[in-house]
């Protein structure tokens, strides 16, 4: 069906309101309302979130019972409306009757200084964002309050947190999207005082449907007091919003190991004020255990973190957590991060336990993920390519939908493996450049510029890594001669002009994006809260090879013996074995254990060229186990474990096993450090501890190592096995 212009008729109050919103969307796309295809909004009895789009002899009829249902209906129309060959064409999948699979379908919008985008918004931008998520089936917008003094405020925020809470509640009510409030227990007050404060906030809200207090992160109360506070707050909420529901989360505060059991025991008493339970980051127990133990009368709502890439519940390549350090260092925790295939996989794992979800988001960097997760909450059987092509038609009209879908999938694939070994990164950039060439008007479309910016970032990292790896190899060859002067000259080689031009274009696009959407890609220039809050311009130049480290070491050398020692340290010799969490990843041992956490320091100031890449990844778990082979037979070994120093004094009762034989048990940090080694090779925040592995524990060159600490866990960056045989040390 081809559409050149439309006429709009509406029957009923809700239909008239929806027709007004529909006209706004027509205007955004430049579709005239001057006769042509007749669009009819017709109110009909059906569930609130259901709708129908029908073809009635050339007329397109939207049927729904609510404003929200009509928004879903006309959004489907625009998701299936393709601009090509100078006209607009409806794809065949447009028509049908539709109802959502899950009850809860929403996203969080945080108006606070930590957000990477939304703190630069006003009510108009929030309204647009709510409508954009509704286009993919959302029925909940989750917003945040301030504290007793209206909360924090930065230079971008034109309203206080509470003022924006009230304004967003009004905007949400106008477009019939439910409002959830994420309300942590941060203030220091009695439970009664806390409930009184919340009651005063709630009564000023035009619309309030759900309140979600997190059990932790932030808010550190024992489970009983936490739920007592939730019950009291629910009673105050009922005074102004009697239909609103209280949904506390089973997110465990740190340092309270029995919190989850206490949470379950409290809810077994079935207080009527608790409608259901949320689960998400820092979960008290895994979702399967929670659903089994939680009384059946409490439904679950999921709180997926779709915004973070590292130091989070679902790091890139969950559960392998093997995102290459070159990408992780430069793009960091909150970069523009479409991960459609990975989030579909995660959605399949968790959705069967829940009645839907409201995602955790810190801004606009996860825009594609919001559309994907929202569409899957509506219909989990929807193919990812269909969702992405809908995204293209709705948000980037004129671009070929399949090209946009391939481009977004390309961005996700760009993060597979070592960027130097991923030529698809260049193909992805070429595809986005081709889309721009074919559709130049998209240069003013922030979602398109988002994707092109990310494609350029990925290409920049790949090109820099390839360039620098070549310099490092040549410098190491020269150091073996040794020719320190020539090695230093090689390491100081300037980047080619094409690289410099690409890097400068990132600055240009970042400025454009700040003007378009308010995303803060730099702390200094665009007022980001911190580099790890999505300030890609502040992390994109972080080291991605050992070039800067090697250059610094060579500059400090006073003799050729120093060069020999450096190369000896950087490369395993005969019978030696080195393992680096960052360089090698746990994949070399078949993958990390379940629940192991891989911390990452590469996107911070720590990674400034003063440390080698091998030390920027940290393994953190109650135990580590790995099998090593290729060692010398009948040889005693030195095992050197490199650990971050503890932030505060603590007794860490660690054990070290070699093929089941205990070679150490005790307080690891009470052991003396090898001061000479640590001073030569480690930054101030690290130390090494040395153990002896007896020859009898090594069988035919093989040994299985296990490190553990049952109370706090063990953290380490690398370990080295070095033979003690004379002449090989």
């Amino acid at each position: 069906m081809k559409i050149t212009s439309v006429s709009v008729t509406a029957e009923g109050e809700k239909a008239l309101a929806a027709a007004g919103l529909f006209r706004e969307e027509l205007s955004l796309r430049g579709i005239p309302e001057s006769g042509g295809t007749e669009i009819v909004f017709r109110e009909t009895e059906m569930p609130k979130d259901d709708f129908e789009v029908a073809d009635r002899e050339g007329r397109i009829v939207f049927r729904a019972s609510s404003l929200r249902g009509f928004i879903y209906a006309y959004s489907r129309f625009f998701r299936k409306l393709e601009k090509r060959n100078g006209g607009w064409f409806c794809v065949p999948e447009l028509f049908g009757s539709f109802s959502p699979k899950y009850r809860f379908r929403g996203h969080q919008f945080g108006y606070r200084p930590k957000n990477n985008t939304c703190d630069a918004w006003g009510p108009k931008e929030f309204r647009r964002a709510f409508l954009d998520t509704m286009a993919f089936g959302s029925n909940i917008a989750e917003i945040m309050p301030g504290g007793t003094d209206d909360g924090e405020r930065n230079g971008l925020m034109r309203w206080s947190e509470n003022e924006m809470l009230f304004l967003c509640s009004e905007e949400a009510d106008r477009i019939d999207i439910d409002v959830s409030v994420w309300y942590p227990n941060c203030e220091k007050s009695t439970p009664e005082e806390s409930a009184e404060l919340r009651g005063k906030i709630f009564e000023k809200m035009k619309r309030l449907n759900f309140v979600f207090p997190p059990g932790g992160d932030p808010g550190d109360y024992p489970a009983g007091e936490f739920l007592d506070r939730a019950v009291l707050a629910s009673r105050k909420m009922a005074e102004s919003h009697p239909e609103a529901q209280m949904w506390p989360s089973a997110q465990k505060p740190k340092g309270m190991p029995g919190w989850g059991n206490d949470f379950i025991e409290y809810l077994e008493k079935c207080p009527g004020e608790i409608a259901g339970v949320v689960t998400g980051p820092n979960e008290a127990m895994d979702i399967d255990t929670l659903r089994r133990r939680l009384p059946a009368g409490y439904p679950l709502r999921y709180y997926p973190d779709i915004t973070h890439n590292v130091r989070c519940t679902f790091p890139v390549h969950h559960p392998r957590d093997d995102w290459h350090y070159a990408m992780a260092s430069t793009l960091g925790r909150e970069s523009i991060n479409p991960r459609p295939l990975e989030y579909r996989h995660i959605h399949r794992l968790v959705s069967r336990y829940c009645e839907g979800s409201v995602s955790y988001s810190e801004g606009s960097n996860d825009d594609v993920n919001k559309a994907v997760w929202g569409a899957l909450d509506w219909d989990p059987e929807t193919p990812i390519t269909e969702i992405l092509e809908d995204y293209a038609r709705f948000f980037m009209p004129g671009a070929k939908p399949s090209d946009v879908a391939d481009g977004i999938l390309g961005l996700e694939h760009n993060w597979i493996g070592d960027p130097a070994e991923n030529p698809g990164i260049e193909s992805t950039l070429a595809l986005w450049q081709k889309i721009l060439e074919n559709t130049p008007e998209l240069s003013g479309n922030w979602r398109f510029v988002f994707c092109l910016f990310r494609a350029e970032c990925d290409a920049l990292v790949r090109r820099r890594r390839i360039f620098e790896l070549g310099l490092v190899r040549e410098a190491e060859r020269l150091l073996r001669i040794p020719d320190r002067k020539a090695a230093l000259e090689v390491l100081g080689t300037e980047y080619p002009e094409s690289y410099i031009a690409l890097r400068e274009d990132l600055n240009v696009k970042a400025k454009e994006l700040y003007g378009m959407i308010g995303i803060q890609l730099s702390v200094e220039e665009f007022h980001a809260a911190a580099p790890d809050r999505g300030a890609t311009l502040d992390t994109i130049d972080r080291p991605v090879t050992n070039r800067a480290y090697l250059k610094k070491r060579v500059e400090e050398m006073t003799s050729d013996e120093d060069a020999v020692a450096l190369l000896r340290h950087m490369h395993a010799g005969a019978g030696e074995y080195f393992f680096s969490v960052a360089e090698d990843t746990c994949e070399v041992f078949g993958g990390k254990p379940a629940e192991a956490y891989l911390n990452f320091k590469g996107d911070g100031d720590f990674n400034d060229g003063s440390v080698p890449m091998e030390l920027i990844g940290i393994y953190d778990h109650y135990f580590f186990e790995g099998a090593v082979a290729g060692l010398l037979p009948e040889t005693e070994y030195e095992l050197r474990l490199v650990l971050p120093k503890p932030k505060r004094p603590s007794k860490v009762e660690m054990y070290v096993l070699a093929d089941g034989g205990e070679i150490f048990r005790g307080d690891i940090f009470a052991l003396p450090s090898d001061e000479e080694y640590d001073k030569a090779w480690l930054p101030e925040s690290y130390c090494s501890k040395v153990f002896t592995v007896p020859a009898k524990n090594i069988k035919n060159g093989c040994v299985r190592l296990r490190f553990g600490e049952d109370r706090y866990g063990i953290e380490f960056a690398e370990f080295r096995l070095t033979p003690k045989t004379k002449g090989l040390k």
Side-chain angles (χ1 to χ4, degrees):
M1 179 186 293
K2 183 176 181 180
I3 294 177
T4 55
S5 62
V6 300
S7 62
V8 181
T9 60
E11 304 167 6
E13 181 181 353
K14 294 165 188 172
L16 284 167
L21 295 171
F22 179 71
R23 289 185 173 98
E24 292 181 23
E25 298 291 343
L26 290 173
S27 178
L28 287 173
R29 291 160 177 78
I31 300 174
E33 187 181 352
S34 57
T37 304
E38 186 177 357
I39 307 291
V40 179
F41 288 77
R42 181 171 295 158
E43 290 187 26
T44 309
E45 285 297 320
M46 61 174 62
K48 184 173 184 177
D49 284 8
D50 291 10
F51 69 92
E52 180 184 275
V53 182
D55 181 1
R56 296 288 186 266
E57 298 179 347
R59 293 185 305 162
I60 296 175
V61 179
F62 301 142
R63 297 174 68 247
S65 67
S66 65
L67 174 57
R68 178 191 301 173
F70 282 122
I71 293 173
Y72 296 152
Y74 77 63
S75 294
R76 181 172 181 86
F77 169 77
F78 287 116
R79 293 199 333 255
K80 303 302 181 182
L81 188 65
E82 193 168 313
K83 184 180 181 182
R84 64 176 187 268
N85 302 325
W88 296 87
F89 298 84
C90 295
V91 300
E93 304 88 57
L94 168 62
F95 302 105
S97 297
F98 306 93
S99 59
K101 167 78 172 180
Y102 294 106
R103 171 186 172 193
F104 302 111
R105 310 176 309 279
H107 306 284
Q108 194 174 81
F109 298 89
Y111 186 72
R112 59 178 186 155
K114 293 180 180 179
N115 196 278
N116 66 45
T117 308
C118 303
D119 50 345
W121 290 0
K124 180 180 70 173
E125 288 78 17
F126 277 101
R127 175 181 180 272
R128 182 69 257 173
F130 298 164
L131 286 168
D132 286 350
T133 60
M134 292 179 80
F136 287 82
S138 289
N139 65 350
I140 298 173
E142 187 159 270
I143 44 188
M144 301 179 182
T148 54
D149 58 352
D150 279 346
E152 299 177 82
R153 196 164 178 173
N154 63 18
L156 293 171
M157 298 166 70
R158 291 165 284 168
W159 292 265
S160 73
E161 288 181 324
N162 282 341
E163 287 170 340
M164 187 57 74
L165 174 73
F166 306 144
L167 291 168
C168 283
S169 176
E170 291 177 8
E171 293 293 343
D173 188 63
R174 290 190 185 102
I175 58 175
D176 194 22
I177 187 171
D178 286 349
V179 172
S180 177
V181 175
W182 179 81
Y183 209 144
N185 293 289
C186 292
E187 70 280 353
K188 301 298 181 183
S189 59
T190 67
E192 291 75 16
E193 290 169 340
S194 174
E196 194 67 30
L197 166 66
R198 282 155 174 72
K200 291 177 180 178
I201 296 294
F202 298 153
E203 68 183 13
K204 295 179 182 178
M205 296 180 65
K206 173 71 172 177
R207 187 176 187 128
L208 176 61
N209 303 91
F210 309 99
V211 173
F212 158 24
D217 190 25
D220 297 322
Y221 286 102
E225 182 175 350
F226 163 64
L227 290 168
D228 282 341
R229 287 172 175 264
V231 168
L232 290 174
S234 182
R235 291 172 183 169
K236 291 300 295 185
M237 175 175 65
E239 294 176 7
S240 56
H241 298 277
E243 301 301 318
Q245 298 180 350
M246 176 61 66
W247 284 70
S249 81
Q251 294 172 269
K252 181 179 68 175
K254 294 180 180 178
M256 298 186 189
W259 191 94
N261 290 329
D262 295 341
F263 182 89
I264 296 292
E265 288 177 7
Y266 187 105
L267 289 180
E268 286 174 343
K269 302 171 187 175
C270 296
E273 291 86 351
I274 304 299
V277 171
V278 176
T279 184
N282 299 311
E283 59 192 9
M285 58 194 74
D286 68 80
I287 195 168
D288 183 78
T289 302
L290 179 63
R291 182 62 279 170
R292 289 170 183 270
R293 294 192 57 191
L294 194 67
Y298 293 104
L300 280 180
R301 191 184 98 182
Y302 200 58
Y303 183 41
D305 180 352
I306 63 171
T307 202
H308 291 129
N309 304 320
V310 294
R311 299 186 292 275
C312 58
T313 307
F314 302 125
V316 173
H317 305 153
H318 171 81
R320 303 188 311 278
D321 200 356
D322 64 352
W323 195 24
H324 194 276
Y325 63 78
M327 287 296 191
S329 295
T330 51
L331 292 168
R333 192 167 185 244
E334 278 181 27
S335 58
I336 297 165
N337 65 343
R339 294 164 58 189
L341 297 177
E342 190 161 21
Y343 283 125
R344 178 184 62 184
H345 169 69
I346 294 166
H347 191 277
R348 287 171 172 171
L349 294 178
V350 300
S351 59
R352 59 185 178 271
Y353 294 97
C354 304
E355 293 194 13
S357 58
V358 177
S359 76
Y360 170 27
S361 175
E362 287 290 5
S364 59
N365 65 298
D366 55 17
D367 187 72
V368 170
N369 302 333
K370 286 190 180 83
V372 168
W373 198 281
L376 293 174
D377 271 349
W378 183 281
D379 178 5
E381 300 302 317
T382 310
I384 286 295
T385 50
E386 180 179 340
I387 298 171
L388 298 181
E389 289 182 3
D390 281 356
Y391 184 89
R393 283 185 285 260
F394 194 89
F395 292 125
M396 302 182 200
K400 186 177 179 182
S402 60
D403 282 351
V404 172
D406 287 348
I408 291 172
L409 291 169
L411 293 175
E412 184 173 24
H413 293 156
N414 281 1
W415 285 359
I416 296 174
D418 185 339
E421 300 168 356
N422 186 349
I425 291 172
E426 298 293 348
S427 301
T428 299
L429 175 58
L431 177 54
W432 285 106
Q433 291 171 333
K434 172 191 167 188
I435 294 170
L436 179 60
E437 181 181 343
N438 294 337
T439 331
E441 63 270 23
L442 291 178
S443 62
N445 180 308
W446 69 265
R447 287 182 169 90
F448 173 81
V449 179
F450 252 41
C451 294
L452 181 56
F453 177 87
R454 234 301 300 282
E456 289 187 356
C457 286
D458 294 349
L460 190 86
V461 173
R462 169 179 160 80
R463 293 173 191 181
R464 182 160 87 248
R465 182 159 167 81
I466 291 172
F467 179 76
E468 291 188 359
L469 285 174
L471 301 184
V472 168
R473 284 192 294 270
E474 176 61 12
E476 289 189 3
R477 185 189 70 80
L478 292 167
L479 288 175
R480 291 188 182 94
I481 294 176
D483 188 338
R484 288 182 284 139
K485 181 179 178 182
L488 201 57
E489 289 176 355
V490 166
L491 293 169
T493 304
E494 296 289 337
Y495 294 115
E497 290 185 8
S498 59
Y499 175 90
I500 295 170
L502 182 60
R503 176 62 181 84
E504 179 55 35
D505 195 54
L506 294 183
N507 293 334
V508 173
K509 285 186 169 53
K511 188 172 183 178
E512 292 174 351
L513 287 168
Y514 179 69
M516 292 176 188
I517 191 63
I519 190 168
Q520 298 131 43
L521 295 166
S522 164
V523 171
E524 183 175 347
E525 189 169 357
F526 305 120
H527 318 291
D532 68 343
R533 291 287 178 179
T536 307
L537 293 186
D538 297 344
T539 56
I540 194 69
D541 300 316
R542 295 278 183 214
V544 296
T545 68
N546 276 332
R547 177 197 186 184
Y549 173 74
L550 192 58
K551 184 173 183 289
K552 182 176 181 295
R553 300 293 307 207
V554 175
E555 288 171 341
E556 294 171 348
M557 289 178 180
T558 58
S559 68
D560 290 344
E561 286 73 22
D562 292 339
V564 173
L566 177 63
L567 293 173
R568 175 73 184 81
H569 176 76
M570 294 178 68
H571 299 282
E576 294 182 326
Y577 184 84
F578 295 170
F579 169 71
S580 159
V581 174
E583 287 275 13
D584 301 308
T585 78
C586 295
E587 187 179 17
V588 298
F589 299 118
K592 67 173 188 170
E595 307 303 321
Y597 180 74
L598 299 190
N599 200 350
F600 185 74
K601 296 187 174 186
D603 56 342
D605 292 339
F606 178 82
N607 185 16
D608 61 359
S610 62
V611 295
M613 293 291 104
E614 68 200 38
L615 295 181
I616 62 175
I618 306 294
Y619 181 95
D620 183 355
H621 192 37
Y622 293 105
F623 71 90
F624 166 84
E625 191 167 67
V628 177
L631 305 181
L632 299 175
E634 299 178 0
T635 302
E636 188 175 70
Y637 267 78
E638 173 187 276
L639 168 62
R640 184 182 299 273
L641 190 62
V642 174
L643 315 96
K645 292 179 181 177
K647 296 181 176 64
R648 59 188 66 86
S650 60
K651 191 173 183 180
V652 181
E653 294 290 341
M654 181 182 167
Y655 62 85
V656 180
L657 307 179
D659 255 35
E662 186 173 290
I663 62 174
F664 174 79
R665 183 177 293 271
D667 183 358
I668 183 72
F669 292 108
L671 282 178
S673 294
D674 184 340
E675 294 183 4
E676 183 179 349
Y677 180 94
D678 292 2
K679 183 178 179 181
W681 303 115
L682 300 181
E684 180 62 30
S685 57
Y686 282 65
C687 63
S688 69
K689 304 296 178 179
V690 179
F691 315 92
T692 295
V693 181
K696 67 179 182 179
N697 293 71
I698 301 173
K699 306 297 191 298
N700 293 328
C702 302
V703 64
R704 181 175 293 277
L705 297 173
R706 183 180 174 100
F707 320 135
E709 211 285 344
D710 294 332
R711 292 180 304 163
Y712 304 105
I714 178 66
E715 295 181 326
F716 73 93
E718 69 169 15
F719 68 80
R720 295 168 176 251
L721 284 164
T722 307
K724 288 190 172 183
T725 304
K726 190 174 181 180
L728 286 174
K729 184 157 180 174

